């Protein structure tokens, strides 16, 4: 799997945060979504961010890194800290790794490899997800999903086009939440309003994707590929 892990960074000391961001940008498997120097800001914004992993310091004023990790729920966490005494607590909450400062690139790469291994196992074993729809709970098999977009009547709901032509209406779910459940190599967000299964890609250009899906006129659906998501899309195309 050649896709990138999307990560958030958290360190209350700006020099440490800047250094960590620089290291992460040198690791091809990582994409830094956003860096925070305040845990409250991270917690306030995380619901609207698409990320797989949080790399965080532990000792911070106010909310410490262990508390932040507990609030991230199903997201992976790597701790970076100058203090060794938190190691047991970190692994009690199933952290991916615990790195003592100063962080070295090689050590961080090992931690990222562990995160990739975990997410690969998770997505390869699952075949479907269970989600709330307008008709109750439904099982959506990954190999049947082609395309996802917001509902025209309520953008909090999402319309899922299935392989058999049926459209399933998912109730009150974000794109970030959906992407956290979908196999990363098989699905891609291409702009703010659309997720596609990679298998529907017929042609693509710099800012345009032609899908095998047909529109109401029987023509291939042409979709916009935004700058924000282009690198992730190209990475998945080249797997």
């Amino acid at each position: 799997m050649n896709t990138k892990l999307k990560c958030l960074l958290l360190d209350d000391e700006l020099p440490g945060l800047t250094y960590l961001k620089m290291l992460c940008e040198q690791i091809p498997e990582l994409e830094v979504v956003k860096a925070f120097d305040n845990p409250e800001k991270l917690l306030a914004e995380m619901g609207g961010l698409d990320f797989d992993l949080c790399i965080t310091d532990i000792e911070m004023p106010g909310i410490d890194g262990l508390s932040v990790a507990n609030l991230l729920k199903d997201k992976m966490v790597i701790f970076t800290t100058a203090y060794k005494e938190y190691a047991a607590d970190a692994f009690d909450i199933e952290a991916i790794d615990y790195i003592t400062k100063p962080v070295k690139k090689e050590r961080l790469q090992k931690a990222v490899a562990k995160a990739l291994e975990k997410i690969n196992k998770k997505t390869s074993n699952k075949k479907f997800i269970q989600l709330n729809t307008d008709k109750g709970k439904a099982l959506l098999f990954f190999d049947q999903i082609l395309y996802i977009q917001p509902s025209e009547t309520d953008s909090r709901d999402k319309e899922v086009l299935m392989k058999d032509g049926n459209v399933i209406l998912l109730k009150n779910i974000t794109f970030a939440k959906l992407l956290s459940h979908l196999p990363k190599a098989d699905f891609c967000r291409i702009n703010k309003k659309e997720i596609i299964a990679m298998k529907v890609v017929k042609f693509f250009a710099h800012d345009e994707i032609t899908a095998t899906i047909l529109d109401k006129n029987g023509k291939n659906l042409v979709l916009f590929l935004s700058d924000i998501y282009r690198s992730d899309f190209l990475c998945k195309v080249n797997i």
Side-chain angles (χ1 to χ4, degrees), residues 6 45-52 71-75 122-123 126 129-132 142 145 148 156 158 170-184 187 189 195:
K6 297 181 179 181
E45 293 186 32
M46 68 177 186
L49 298 174
D50 175 20
F51 69 102
D52 311 294
L71 294 170
L72 292 177
K73 297 179 181 178
D74 58 343
K75 302 296 184 181
K122 181 180 177 182
T123 56
K126 288 190 69 175
I129 45 174
Q130 178 180 286
L131 295 172
N132 293 322
F142 299 138
I145 300 171
I148 305 171
R156 293 173 298 181
K158 305 295 180 287
L170 302 179
K171 297 298 292 181
N172 194 23
I173 188 167
T174 65
F175 276 125
K177 187 68 175 176
L178 271 171
L179 286 167
S180 72
H181 290 297
L182 297 172
K184 294 183 67 63
F187 292 88
R189 188 171 185 176
I195 294 173

Side-chain angles (χ1 to χ4, degrees), residues 66-132:
L66 293 168
S67 300
V68 169
N70 278 314
L71 294 170
L72 292 177
K73 297 179 181 178
D74 58 343
K75 302 296 184 181
M76 297 182 291
V77 177
I78 294 172
F79 289 112
T80 62
T81 179
Y83 304 94
K84 296 181 180 180
E85 61 264 29
Y86 294 108
D89 293 329
F91 288 111
D92 278 346
I93 60 173
E94 298 184 349
I96 294 297
D97 212 337
Y98 183 96
I99 305 173
T100 52
K101 294 181 178 180
V103 180
K104 304 293 185 184
K105 180 183 174 183
E106 294 77 14
R107 181 66 182 86
L108 183 58
Q109 283 179 314
K110 288 183 179 179
V112 170
K114 291 181 183 179
L116 280 168
E117 183 179 359
K118 181 174 180 178
I119 203 165
N120 284 343
K121 286 181 179 178
K122 181 180 177 182
T123 56
S124 63
N125 292 334
K126 288 190 69 175
K127 302 298 181 185
F128 60 85
I129 45 174
Q130 178 180 286
L131 295 172
N132 293 322

Side-chain angles (χ1 to χ4, degrees), residues 3-221:
T3 190
K4 291 188 176 186
L5 284 176
K6 297 181 179 181
C7 69
L8 303 184
L9 308 181
L10 175 60
D11 194 319
D12 65 303
E13 296 182 355
L14 192 55
L17 183 63
T18 303
Y19 175 69
L20 180 61
K21 186 172 185 289
M22 180 193 71
L23 287 184
C24 290
E25 289 173 344
Q26 294 176 26
I27 299 175
E29 296 84 3
L30 281 183
E31 177 186 336
V32 177
V33 175
K34 195 163 185 178
F36 294 88
D37 62 1
N38 182 299
E40 285 86 357
K41 288 182 180 178
L42 183 150
L43 293 173
E45 293 186 32
M46 68 177 186
L49 298 174
D50 175 20
F51 69 102
D52 311 294
L53 169 70
C54 182
I55 304 175
T56 177
D57 192 9
I58 292 184
E59 282 226 341
M60 294 179 288
I63 303 174
D64 63 28
L66 293 168
S67 300
V68 169
N70 278 314
L71 294 170
L72 292 177
K73 297 179 181 178
D74 58 343
K75 302 296 184 181
M76 297 182 291
V77 177
I78 294 172
F79 289 112
T80 62
T81 179
Y83 304 94
K84 296 181 180 180
E85 61 264 29
Y86 294 108
D89 293 329
F91 288 111
D92 278 346
I93 60 173
E94 298 184 349
I96 294 297
D97 212 337
Y98 183 96
I99 305 173
T100 52
K101 294 181 178 180
V103 180
K104 304 293 185 184
K105 180 183 174 183
E106 294 77 14
R107 181 66 182 86
L108 183 58
Q109 283 179 314
K110 288 183 179 179
V112 170
K114 291 181 183 179
L116 280 168
E117 183 179 359
K118 181 174 180 178
I119 203 165
N120 284 343
K121 286 181 179 178
K122 181 180 177 182
T123 56
S124 63
N125 292 334
K126 288 190 69 175
K127 302 298 181 185
F128 60 85
I129 45 174
Q130 178 180 286
L131 295 172
N132 293 322
T133 75
D134 58 331
K135 297 178 181 178
K137 290 189 179 294
L139 297 182
L140 276 69
F141 285 82
F142 299 138
D143 63 355
Q144 299 298 305
I145 300 171
L146 301 182
Y147 172 73
I148 305 171
Q149 66 177 352
S151 166
E152 292 183 0
T153 55
D154 188 340
S155 62
R156 293 173 298 181
D157 300 337
K158 305 295 180 287
E159 294 179 357
V160 183
L161 175 64
M162 306 298 287
K163 190 175 180 180
D164 61 7
N166 287 325
V167 175
I168 295 176
L169 183 66
L170 302 179
K171 297 298 292 181
N172 194 23
I173 188 167
T174 65
F175 276 125
K177 187 68 175 176
L178 271 171
L179 286 167
S180 72
H181 290 297
L182 297 172
K184 294 183 67 63
D186 300 330
F187 292 88
C188 185
R189 188 171 185 176
I190 57 172
N191 55 56
K192 289 184 177 181
K193 296 183 177 181
E194 293 171 309
I195 294 173
I196 62 168
M198 295 303 296
K199 64 184 178 183
V200 306
V201 176
K202 187 173 184 179
F203 308 113
F204 65 92
H206 179 69
D207 60 355
E208 190 175 276
I209 297 169
T210 301
T212 56
I213 302 166
L214 301 180
D215 62 19
K216 294 178 181 179
N217 299 316
K219 296 182 178 180
N220 291 98
L221 193 64

